[in-house]
Amino acid sequence: MKSWKKRGAIVVGGVAVIGIAAALVLNALNSNIALYVTPTDVVAGKSPKGQAFRIGGMVKDGSVRRDNLTVHFVVTDMAHDIPVSYTGILPDLFKEGKGAVVQGRLTPTGDFTASEVLAKHDENYMPPEAKHALDKAQKAKDAAKPVNTESAAKVAP
């Protein structure tokens, strides 16, 4: 075999090995991605189908119910609520009225079965996506409230 044929075979073999390695890495990364979605996005049908994803928001006050190791609670972004069930031990910082991010899958009934629960670890920290979603939901809620024109008319001279 001539030297240029040997070099060509080595180059082709190297490209093939790099291509296979890149395909394996991309496949591993794709299967481990968990997208962040708000409860409003889930209600609107914008959540991934048949794939694990994360829902972030506040744990609704009065929603935590325990059945042995299974915990049922509601995650809200102040506009929409998503019922969540989780079997396992919750983080110490998990409380009603506090922020949480849950990772899992949506059931056909619309409930969310979590495989992991992450509690907000600091009073001042909130992921930018969660803060934006909560602010947006609060603005929409405020805009939907009817304005009392009688009280406004009494104040104006």
Side-chain angles (χ1 to χ4, degrees):
M1 201 156 142
K2 296 191 177 192
S3 64
W4 63 272
K5 286 185 177 180
K6 286 182 184 177
R7 268 186 267 144
I10 291 172
V11 168
V12 168
V15 169
V17 167
I18 290 173
I20 291 170
L24 291 173
V25 167
L26 290 174
N27 186 30
L29 289 174
N30 191 29
S31 64
N32 289 329
I33 288 177
L35 301 174
Y36 178 84
V37 181
T38 64
T40 299
D41 292 339
V42 173
V43 170
K46 296 179 183 176
S47 61
K49 307 290 185 243
Q51 184 179 354
F53 61 96
R54 292 181 176 181
I55 296 177
M58 306 298 279
V59 178
K60 191 171 186 177
D61 287 330
S63 70
V64 177
R65 215 175 15 95
R66 298 176 190 269
D67 299 328
N68 292 328
L69 277 181
T70 302
V71 181
H72 303 277
F73 56 94
V74 174
V75 174
T76 182
D77 63 358
M78 307 306 177
H80 293 94
D81 300 342
I82 299 294
V84 178
S85 65
Y86 173 70
T87 302
I89 298 172
L90 290 170
D92 291 337
L93 296 175
F94 180 86
K95 292 183 175 103
E96 293 178 351
K98 299 292 182 184
V101 176
V102 293
Q103 180 173 330
R105 295 179 185 270
L106 202 58
T107 64
T109 61
D111 294 342
F112 190 81
T113 302
S115 58
E116 185 177 8
V117 175
L118 306 169
K120 191 167 91 169
H121 61 81
D122 184 300
E123 287 301 316
N124 300 321
Y125 174 77
M126 183 175 291
E129 297 92 350
K131 179 148 180 56
H132 175 69
L134 288 173
D135 291 344
K136 186 176 171 184
Q138 188 63 42
K139 285 178 185 175
K141 197 176 192 181
D142 291 343
K145 287 183 182 177
V147 177
N148 188 350
T149 55
E150 291 177 15
S151 63
K154 289 180 184 176
V155 174

